[in-house]
Amino acid sequence: MEKKVITWHGKKYYLIGKNSYGKNCYLEEASWDCGWYWGFGYIETFTNNAHPEKAKDIASHTHFSEVFSNPYMNGYDYFKKLFVEHTVSDKELWKLIELMNTFYTIKNYSDMLHRGGTNYSENPIKDIIKNDDEYERINKAVLPKLFEEIYQLLSE
């Protein structure tokens, strides 16, 4: 399957593969949401599968993190099960899985640094956990570089 990048409503979407229903699945580019976190990892299909850039709407929305949700399969194997065709080689897929899992790990850490806990309740040591300098470094340097690597991988 050929790599493809489309623009829909001003955002870029990177084709990652085809699901078992024959629908092309696209990874939506990252967005800085609500002024404090990165929204990323959204997988979309469009109402116009043949020409998604002309679609009137998104047909389905899910999260890449689903790849890591199967307790009986690693992310690489589960990705191959979810996407019957994909745009990356096996070697590139290992890299994509690494980068995406890194994103989720770093995002959770960044959120914790910002809030001072995991948000289940008030963390009694939140003042020690909060770290604005590290939060800024992650969100302004680390994650943008990670997104750049993913985009390059999906658009080569």
Side-chain angles (χ1 to χ4, degrees), residues 69-148:
S69 68
N70 188 317
Y72 305 106
M73 298 176 99
N74 62 53
Y76 174 90
D77 290 332
Y78 199 44
F79 180 97
K80 288 185 115 178
K81 182 177 180 178
L82 292 172
F83 301 100
V84 295
E85 289 183 56
H86 43 87
T87 60
V88 292
S89 68
D90 286 349
K91 182 179 177 183
E92 290 171 324
L93 179 53
W94 281 113
K95 186 176 179 181
L96 179 61
I97 295 296
E98 173 65 29
L99 290 168
M100 291 303 296
N101 202 26
T102 298
F103 163 71
Y104 288 111
T105 301
I106 291 174
K107 181 190 183 311
N108 289 337
Y109 178 61
S110 172
D111 292 355
M112 186 180 68
L113 290 173
H114 180 70
R115 294 187 300 233
T118 59
N119 213 28
Y120 276 99
S121 70
E122 182 79 15
N123 194 311
I125 61 166
K126 79 176 188 179
D127 294 338
I128 297 169
I129 294 169
K130 280 187 152 196
N131 186 327
D132 292 336
D133 292 337
E134 180 64 357
Y135 167 80
E136 290 288 320
R137 184 185 78 83
I138 288 169
N139 288 290
K140 290 185 176 174
V142 177
L143 287 176
K145 180 62 179 165
L146 184 133
F147 300 143
E148 188 180 301

Side-chain angles (χ1 to χ4, degrees), residues 33 35-36 75 151:
D33 296 338
W36 72 275
Y151 302 153

Side-chain angles (χ1 to χ4, degrees), residues 25-41:
C25 300
Y26 292 83
L27 177 67
E28 183 178 324
E29 73 178 327
S31 58
W32 184 245
D33 296 338
C34 301
W36 72 275
Y37 71 91
W38 284 103
F40 186 63

